[in-house]
């Protein structure tokens, strides 16, 4: 790691302890981006040296802002499998389809990639307490990794957080504050408490280190498909951190010569909450009039990382599409029945987006596509039973 630069004005910024935005811009959306000495990385991280590394995301240590010690090296995170899904590809009208199943991370979502970086960074700074505000996966993931690392965690959740995710927080032993208010209020309270008590702030959108963890998904896609990379990579988008990470990972591997061609990246939002898809067309953020979606993990009307998301998707010649809640539930069923992968609604949105992009002529029907399954379906049981209905009750 060399410097941090502002994605808005490009100024070099001093490394913040945890969360922090540009000191010059005075704009909450002016987030910082970690830079690396790519010549040094290229000399040390080669397809040969990678062969000897642990099968988790620390194998990419040169491209991470924290250096794992011996203990962290054993944390199980990343290197999730890629599953070929020919019947689902056929259904969606794509040439071929692969699913990267990130629901197989320790707390069953993509967020573990960021949380593992957060707890290691917090430990290395001597912090004993870490906090975040979240409605779901970021919180349960932080609680899980705080337990792995032996840190205290305080989590602020809004009143309407889904039950299975709250159960995860409680069993991992986090100190859970259910704020009797909105997500925005929980977020502001968390920021204030971190400042007051000196806690490490995991809030991903404004912590420049965490997106580097999300980047490892892109690094893995590159390594796992190196000789035959997909034409497109589809990712569901809420705050925009995940897709920004995936794009950065793919781009860096391409730059290092470890990925033959750079895939185009497709951002997928829900029709009811699509501020980043709109900003991709208009270059301005509209936070008004969003009606919501059943996919709680991407129900983000005020996305903090929209600028980074829009810029990095454009850099890959990518695009955005929006899908309805009906398309999302259909994709949940299809992903399970035609590929054997149980995806939570937000994750299934990426699959629905592939079908939508083919229908709109964005993805050519001959193309190869990889969709990132960002969370496991057991995260939202009530929703699943509503879709499937009850089993057949019979007498023995
Ligand atoms: C957080 C999350 C996303 C979206 O990530 P952002 O960084 O908010 O864009 C997608 N799917 C799942 C399952 C998530 O938990
Ligand atoms: Zn700036």
């Amino acid at each position: 790691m060399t410097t941090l630069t502002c994605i808005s004005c490009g100024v070099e910024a001093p490394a913040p302890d945890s969360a922090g935005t540009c000191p010059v811009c005075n704009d909450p959306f002016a987030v910082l981006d970690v830079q690396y000495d790519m010549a040094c990385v290229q000399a040390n991280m080669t397809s040969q040296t990678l062969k000897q590394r642990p099968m988790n995301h620390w194998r990419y240590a040169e491209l991470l802002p924290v250096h794992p010690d011996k203990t962290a090296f054993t944390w199980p995170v990343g290197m999730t499998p890629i599953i070929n899904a020919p019947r689902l590809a056929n259904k969606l009208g794509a040439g071929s389809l692969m699913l990267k199943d990130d629901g197989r991370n320790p707390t069953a979502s993509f967020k573990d990639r960021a949380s593992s970086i957060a707890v290691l960074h917090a430990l290395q700074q001597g912090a004993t307490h870490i906090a975040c505000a979240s409605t779901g996966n970021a919180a349960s993931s932080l609680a899980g990794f705080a337990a792995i690392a032996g840190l205290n965690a305080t989590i602020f959740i809004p009143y309407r957080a889904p039950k299975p995710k709250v159960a995860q927080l409680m069993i991992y032993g986090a100190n859970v504050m259910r704020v009797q208010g909105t997500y925005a209020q929980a977020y502001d309270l968390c920021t204030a408490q971190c400042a007051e008590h000196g806690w490490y702030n995991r809030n991903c959108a404004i912590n420049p280190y965490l997106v580097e963890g999300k980047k490892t998904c892109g690094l893995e896609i590159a390594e796992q498909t190196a000789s035959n990379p997909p034409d497109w990579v589809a990712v569901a988008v809420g705050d925009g951190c995940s897709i920004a990470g995936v794009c950065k990972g793919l781009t860096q591997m391409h730059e290092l010569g470890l990925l033959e061609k750079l895939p185009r990246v497709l951002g997928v939002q829900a029709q009811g909450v699509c501020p980043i898809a709109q900003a991709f067309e208009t270059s301005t953020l509209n936070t008004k009039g969003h009606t919501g979606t059943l996919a709680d993990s991407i129900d983000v009307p005020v996305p903090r990382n929209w600028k980074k998301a829009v810029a990095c998707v454009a850099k890959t010649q990518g695009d955005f599409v929006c899908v309805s809640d009906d398309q999302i539930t259909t994709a949940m069923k299809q992903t399970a029945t035609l590929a054997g992968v149980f995806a939570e609604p937000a994750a299934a949105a990426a699959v629905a987006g592939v079908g939508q992009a083919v229908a709109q002529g964005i993805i050519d029907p001959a193309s190869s596509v990889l969709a990132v399954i960002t969370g496991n379906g057991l995260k939202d049981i009530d929703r699943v039973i509503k879709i499937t209905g009850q089993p057949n009750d019979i007498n023995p």
Side-chain angles (χ1 to χ4, degrees):
M1 172 172 135
T2 52
T3 57
L4 287 93
T5 55
C6 168
I7 63 148
S8 270
C9 73
V11 76
E12 262 186 37
D17 289 343
S18 57
T21 49
C22 175
V24 177
C25 279
N26 193 26
D27 168 0
F29 298 116
V31 294
L32 301 174
D33 188 40
V34 181
Q35 309 294 324
Y36 297 86
D37 178 347
M38 291 304 271
C40 174
V41 175
Q42 192 154 34
N44 291 285
M45 205 180 88
T46 63
S47 42
Q48 279 310 314
T49 58
L50 279 174
K51 281 201 184 99
Q52 278 124 49
R53 308 234 178 137
M55 291 303 277
N56 58 39
H57 80 169
W58 304 114
R59 60 198 279 105
Y60 308 110
E62 288 93 344
L63 285 174
L64 293 173
V66 282
H67 195 77
D69 56 21
K70 260 207 183 114
T71 320
F73 249 126
T74 65
W75 292 350
V77 53
M79 263 300 159
T80 53
I82 291 181
I83 295 149
N84 211 2
R87 283 179 293 146
L88 185 55
N90 200 28
K91 191 68 164 188
L92 300 173
S96 69
L97 180 68
M98 293 176 277
L99 304 175
K100 183 158 174 66
D101 190 5
D102 254 53
R104 298 201 201 188
N105 277 301
T107 78
S109 88
F110 183 94
K111 297 290 194 291
D112 287 346
R113 296 181 182 279
S115 296
S116 51
I117 299 287
V119 297
L120 183 60
H121 195 232
L123 280 179
Q124 291 183 353
Q125 309 232 11
T128 55
H129 207 120
I130 188 163
C132 81
S134 161
T135 58
N137 288 331
S140 43
S141 169
L142 180 63
F145 272 87
I148 288 175
L151 279 172
N152 298 307
T154 297
I155 317 262
F156 298 87
I157 58 172
Y159 196 68
R160 56 165 190 87
K163 239 201 225 160
K165 295 176 184 178
V166 178
Q168 282 187 295
L169 301 180
M170 302 308 294
I171 200 70
Y172 286 129
N175 184 20
V176 184
M177 301 297 173
R178 184 150 58 186
V179 181
Q180 306 293 306
T182 62
Y183 172 69
Q185 289 172 311
Y187 187 94
D188 291 343
L189 185 56
C190 178
T191 307
Q193 291 290 293
C194 284
E196 187 174 333
H197 303 295
W199 296 344
Y200 188 93
N201 187 347
R202 185 234 181 265
N203 286 334
C204 190
I206 55 163
N207 180 320
Y209 308 111
L210 301 193
V211 71
E212 301 301 304
K214 293 186 162 188
K215 184 178 80 181
T216 59
C217 183
L219 300 176
E220 288 173 19
I221 293 170
E223 193 186 355
Q224 289 170 307
T225 70
S227 55
N228 192 16
D231 298 317
W232 285 88
V233 171
V235 186
V237 178
D239 246 324
C241 309
S242 301
I243 196 165
V246 171
C247 285
K248 188 171 180 183
L250 292 169
T251 306
Q252 285 185 325
M253 290 296 260
H254 187 240
E255 218 178 304
L256 291 169
L258 295 171
L259 175 65
E260 257 175 35
K261 98 183 164 207
L262 184 64
R264 300 169 75 179
V265 175
L266 180 75
V268 184
Q269 291 214 285
Q271 253 168 30
V273 194
C274 54
I276 299 186
Q278 290 169 345
F280 189 73
E281 301 298 325
T282 63
S283 301
T284 53
L285 184 70
N286 162 35
T287 59
K288 303 261 156 48
H290 299 292
T291 51
T293 168
L294 61 80
D296 62 287
S297 299
I298 53 169
D299 191 354
V300 185
V302 188
R304 313 253 166 184
N305 219 336
W306 69 277
K307 282 189 174 169
K308 220 183 214 179
V310 164
C312 71
V313 169
K315 237 168 115 182
T316 70
Q317 317 282 324
D319 213 331
F320 275 84
V321 292
C322 299
V323 293
S324 68
D325 281 1
D326 280 349
Q327 284 176 292
I328 291 172
T329 45
T330 301
M332 265 180 93
K333 275 191 277 193
Q334 290 174 338
T335 307
T337 56
L338 299 175
V341 174
F342 189 10
E344 75 161 86
V351 174
V354 174
Q356 182 64 30
V358 172
Q360 284 179 224
I362 295 168
I363 293 184
D364 182 276
S367 297
S368 56
V369 185
L370 182 147
V372 181
I373 302 299
T374 41
N376 187 281
L378 290 171
K379 294 271 192 178
D380 199 350
I381 308 296
D382 290 344
R383 178 78 54 199
V384 177
I385 296 291
K386 262 190 213 136
I387 297 169
T388 60
Q390 298 291 335
N392 302 310
D393 287 318
I394 57 163
N395 289 321

